[in-house]
Amino acid sequence: VSTQSTGDRVFHNAAQDSVYNNCVSQIVDKALDGYNGTVMAYGQTGAGKTFTITGSTENFQERGMIPRALSHLFQSINSMIEHSVTVRVSYMEIYNEILMDLLATEDDEAKTLTISEEDGVTIVKGLTVKIANNEEEALNLLFEGETNRAIAEHALNHASSRSHCVFTVHIESRSRTQSSSNYTLSKLNFVDLAGSERLGKTKSEGITKKEAMYINQSLTFLEQVIIAVADRKREHVPFRQSKLTHVLKNSIGGNCNTVMIANIWGESAQLEETISTLRFGTRMMCVANEPLQNVHFDPVLLVKEYEQEIKSLKMELAMHDTLANRSNVSYEAYTESQQFDLQQMIRRYISGNVQDIEIVNLRQVKEIFKQFRTIVLNQEKEIESRMIQKYNIDTTADGSKSSRRNSDGDNGVGETDGTGFGLGVAPPSAKLEKAAVIETRKLKSRKTPKERLGSGGKKTSQPPSPQEDIPDLPPPITPALSSIPPLHPPSSPPTKSDAFEEFKRERGSEINRIFIENKKTLGEKKRSAKDLAGVINGCKREIDSTKISLEKMRNKRIAEEGEAAENVYDEEEFELLTILKQLKKKYKENHGELQCLQSDISYCQRLVDQARQKLVQEFDQWYLESFVQVGDQTRPSTTTAPLTAMAPSPSPQTIEDNQEKFERLQLELMMENPESIPYLNAKKKMEKKAIYQPKTPGKIKASVRNAPPTIMSKV
């Protein structure tokens, strides 16, 4: 069988970093500039799609595209001092044509996710989007979503993904140096497509068979959409045939930089699926995307810019009017005196004393019509009042005034305020009748003194004697001193605190010395980081004050010399710019040094914790061997023999358990690669969460759930 397919690059037995540097790195850089990006993995089941996108949690060097992209993203953000970047993360899966939120809490799992379009952009309403302030928080969210994914086992893959997963990073970037209203908002999608399956090979049955049918159906619709997008003569593209194609609408032939990684299984038994995957990749290469920078405008800052622009245009119009000898033209709102003068001019025009009104601008025309309407309305009211006086027309025929006069005479509770406005009166039903008041007073007078006291009255009688209220208390028990047992019998072991102090001086002296040295080093690192943070804050304040001085000096010079001097810098401004550049360089260097110190502090903290744990474990073992009874024999106490003679000598080759071996290997790995610290911290948190916060029964979405990340081994 011979077949031909085209592609940009072929990777055979390539490392994960090689795939990332050649395929994904440029898309992450473009995303920081405001361009959307999508990385999707396609192929048959068991070909390695999930390994490519997410990677292996057992080895730091084998982490996938998502962890590497997050590390690359936050490293680039830390170097972008002049920009404020906000990162948000969402994670969802499409299981049997149902949208599932992998980051939703138990309270939010009942929400229904829907796909909609706003201004040509496809969004998922109800999807949880969480802010990630650093790489560790983003990895925490990734691992949390990974534990919620639906997987199952079949003949070709013991952990096959039963759903399509989309991990999205939302990036919002704003400038810190420019007061501009525009900002960039981009999305970075990582799509792990479920593998196409042949039921004859996978031997799937029951729920797994049903899942495979949904997977193959959605992948078929995806291929139909790609064929339709590649056909320029095609008018309609069936994006709404499935949830997968609707979600990926902007990534296929839209405003996005899209890369598809085709995973194949290089065995002769899988030849048909390999050819199908290569043909799919060839069709995908025919899709032409049109990536554009996603620039948005902040409405608040935009209004301020418009106000400033209107002010500048008014000044420019005033300058043109002055040059055209029209200095009396104003573009501000008419004052009351100007309105009165214009009204008098209109009256003279109506009476015929003025033949023409000079038109200056459009605003004057609008004001003339407004004053003309006011004059007409006033004349109508004046004519109406004259007709009423001449023909004695009764304006109270409808009874409105009489009703108001009658209402003034009502017996109300309230009174009107004398300052000119009424406080209102209560309705007659709100006033108690006299009979009801009298009856209430009679009931109060019939009550006994005790009842009146219980209802809130003052108590006038003498208080009861102490013998009546206070019960007799038994006498205090004072046992004899001889009956108190001693704290420790003569043959009892010492307290753990005393034994621990002696253990640190004798057998545990070496571990205690390491613990004290690590603790001292940790304190020095923290003090250095605190001092360096103070230097960085001082440098930031100097940068801000220099910017303010430079802006004031520049605005003053532009006001004096005009707009022509806007693009020119004088000597003082150039000196301030030079100082500002040096301060920024210093700030960047100190910030990088602070990050290194923070990594050292995290490393030293782990050493201190491990030394403390080792010290406590050795002490517990020594205490049990030295003082606790074993069977019917009691080991001698510290009063009979020295501790060094009783404690067993440590063997030259101590046997390590799995946890100790893991901690030792992890320390060695962290020393070799400090960049792995956020990855390991996120994995540890996920393991603890899986242990101490197990899933509630009934929340499983598929037959099998993914296990939390396993223990990492050394490379």
Side-chain angles (χ1 to χ4, degrees), residues 589-639:
E589 293 175 353
N590 291 335
H591 192 271
E593 187 176 353
L594 180 62
Q595 285 184 331
C596 295
L597 273 177
Q598 289 175 347
S599 300
D600 295 342
I601 289 172
S602 178
Y603 173 69
C604 292
Q605 184 66 51
R606 284 166 178 77
L607 293 180
V608 170
D609 295 340
Q610 290 173 359
R612 182 187 292 110
Q613 184 180 4
K614 188 71 173 177
L615 185 64
V616 172
Q617 290 176 352
E618 290 289 336
F619 167 72
D620 291 338
Q621 182 180 359
W622 172 80
Y623 191 82
L624 288 174
E625 295 173 353
S626 302
F627 302 108
V628 178
Q629 294 181 356
V630 181
D632 296 333
Q633 299 178 354
T634 304
R635 294 188 180 274
S637 62
T638 54
T639 58

Side-chain angles (χ1 to χ4, degrees), residues 103-207:
L103 299 181
T105 58
E106 293 184 359
D107 298 333
D108 298 335
E109 285 190 357
K111 292 194 306 182
T112 302
L113 304 182
T114 58
I115 305 174
S116 63
E117 296 184 14
E118 294 182 2
D119 299 331
V121 179
T122 304
I123 61 174
V124 180
K125 290 186 176 181
L127 184 63
T128 302
V129 181
K130 295 186 178 181
I131 294 179
N133 297 314
N134 49 50
E135 179 185 353
E136 184 176 336
E137 292 183 7
L139 289 171
N140 279 333
L141 297 174
L142 171 63
F143 292 153
E144 179 181 351
E146 284 294 309
T147 58
N148 294 329
R149 290 186 61 175
I151 65 170
E153 182 178 356
H154 55 70
L156 296 181
N157 192 354
H158 70 280
S160 175
S161 300
R162 313 310 296 164
S163 62
H164 309 293
C165 293
V166 182
F167 182 86
T168 305
V169 182
H170 307 262
I171 305 170
E172 179 181 341
S173 178
R174 296 175 183 265
S175 176
R176 286 175 175 164
T177 58
Q178 300 178 359
S179 59
S180 177
S181 62
N182 58 340
Y183 63 95
T184 59
L185 187 62
S186 58
K187 292 194 301 183
L188 191 58
N189 300 315
F190 293 90
V191 185
D192 182 12
L193 298 173
S196 58
E197 300 180 11
R198 291 182 181 269
L199 298 179
K201 290 185 177 181
T202 59
K203 311 295 182 182
S204 300
E205 296 179 354
I207 297 177

Side-chain angles (χ1 to χ4, degrees), residues 8 73 140 181 258 267 370 455 513 529 546 617:
D8 294 325
L73 180 66
N140 279 333
S181 62
T258 303
E267 292 183 2
K370 181 180 177 182
S455 62
R513 182 187 63 80
T546 305
Q617 290 176 352

Side-chain angles (χ1 to χ4, degrees), residues 10 156 212 373 381 416 450 474 494 544 551 562 584 612 614:
V10 177
L156 296 181
R373 181 178 59 184
K381 291 181 181 179
T416 57
K450 290 184 178 180
D544 295 338
E551 190 68 22
K584 288 183 178 180
R612 182 187 292 110
K614 188 71 173 177

Side-chain angles (χ1 to χ4, degrees), residues 561-705:
E561 300 179 7
E563 297 181 356
E566 185 175 359
N567 298 325
V568 181
Y569 296 92
D570 57 8
E571 295 181 359
E572 296 180 356
E573 292 176 357
F574 183 76
E575 291 179 359
L576 288 178
L577 285 173
T578 305
I579 295 173
L580 184 62
K581 185 176 180 181
Q582 294 175 355
L583 288 174
K584 288 183 178 180
K585 182 179 179 182
K586 180 181 177 183
Y587 177 86
K588 186 175 181 180
E589 293 175 353
N590 291 335
H591 192 271
E593 187 176 353
L594 180 62
Q595 285 184 331
C596 295
L597 273 177
Q598 289 175 347
S599 300
D600 295 342
I601 289 172
S602 178
Y603 173 69
C604 292
Q605 184 66 51
R606 284 166 178 77
L607 293 180
V608 170
D609 295 340
Q610 290 173 359
R612 182 187 292 110
Q613 184 180 4
K614 188 71 173 177
L615 185 64
V616 172
Q617 290 176 352
E618 290 289 336
F619 167 72
D620 291 338
Q621 182 180 359
W622 172 80
Y623 191 82
L624 288 174
E625 295 173 353
S626 302
F627 302 108
V628 178
Q629 294 181 356
V630 181
D632 296 333
Q633 299 178 354
T634 304
R635 294 188 180 274
S637 62
T638 54
T639 58
T640 59
L643 290 173
T644 54
M646 293 182 298
S649 59
S651 59
Q653 294 181 353
T654 305
I655 301 176
E656 295 180 332
D657 58 9
N658 292 333
Q659 183 65 23
E660 292 175 341
K661 184 177 180 181
F662 165 70
E663 291 176 355
R664 179 176 60 80
L665 294 176
Q666 189 180 35
L667 285 176
E668 295 177 0
L669 182 62
M670 285 166 46
M671 293 174 64
E672 295 175 359
N673 191 0
E675 294 180 357
S676 63
I677 293 177
Y679 186 86
L680 300 178
N681 290 342
K683 187 159 62 74
K684 278 186 176 181
K685 288 182 180 179
M686 197 62 249
E687 290 174 353
K688 291 180 180 179
K689 187 174 182 181
I691 294 173
Y692 297 110
Q693 296 181 2
K695 287 287 179 180
T696 306
K699 297 293 182 181
I700 298 178
K701 304 171 190 173
S703 56
V704 182
R705 277 290 169 190

Side-chain angles (χ1 to χ4, degrees), residues 23 28 47 206 226 249 300 335 337 359-360 363 372 455 483 487-488 575 597 626 668:
C23 299
V28 176
I226 290 174
K249 179 179 180 181
V300 177
T335 62
S337 60
I359 301 300
V360 179
R363 293 178 66 258
F372 197 93
S455 62
S483 63
L487 284 176
H488 298 289
E575 291 179 359
L597 273 177
S626 302
E668 295 177 0

